[in-house]
Amino acid sequence: MARGVTSSVPDFDDFYRDTRQRLFHCLYALTGNTAEAQDVVHEAYARAWQRWSTVSGYDDPEAWVRTVARRIAVSGWRRARN
């Protein structure tokens, strides 16, 4: 079934609502900083939204967002270190 814009919005909203707290807790454990964890979570979900037609078809979209979030956090650490 092809996904149109109108059908993907509620799917993404449900996905976000169901997974955001878990992702935030994971990123807070990695960063130890509430603001940084929130920023990373926001960026990861923004990227998921941009690619939702693809990401929603994965077996585990939450794993994709979690991986992206971890990579964003690591990139931030590397930039801060240099």
Side-chain angles (χ1 to χ4, degrees), residues 44-80:
Y45 279 108
R47 292 182 187 186
W49 169 250
Q50 292 170 341
R51 298 163 180 81
W52 188 242
S53 63
T54 301
V55 173
S56 64
Y58 294 156
D59 288 338
D60 190 356
E62 186 175 355
W64 185 91
V65 174
R66 196 170 41 248
T67 299
V68 168
R70 286 181 186 144
R71 289 177 179 169
I72 293 168
V74 168
S75 292
W77 295 331
R78 287 181 180 151
R79 276 192 305 278

Side-chain angles (χ1 to χ4, degrees), residues 6-73:
T6 56
S7 66
S8 68
V9 172
D11 292 341
F12 181 82
D13 290 346
D14 292 342
F15 171 73
Y16 175 77
R17 190 174 27 260
D18 294 344
T19 61
R20 70 178 177 217
Q21 281 302 110
R22 281 191 299 269
L23 185 61
F24 171 77
H25 290 295
C26 176
L27 268 294
Y28 179 74
L30 287 173
T31 64
N33 182 296
T34 301
E36 186 177 348
Q38 288 173 337
D39 288 347
V40 171
V41 167
H42 176 78
E43 179 63 26
Y45 279 108
R47 292 182 187 186
W49 169 250
Q50 292 170 341
R51 298 163 180 81
W52 188 242
S53 63
T54 301
V55 173
S56 64
Y58 294 156
D59 288 338
D60 190 356
E62 186 175 355
W64 185 91
V65 174
R66 196 170 41 248
T67 299
V68 168
R70 286 181 186 144
R71 289 177 179 169
I72 293 168

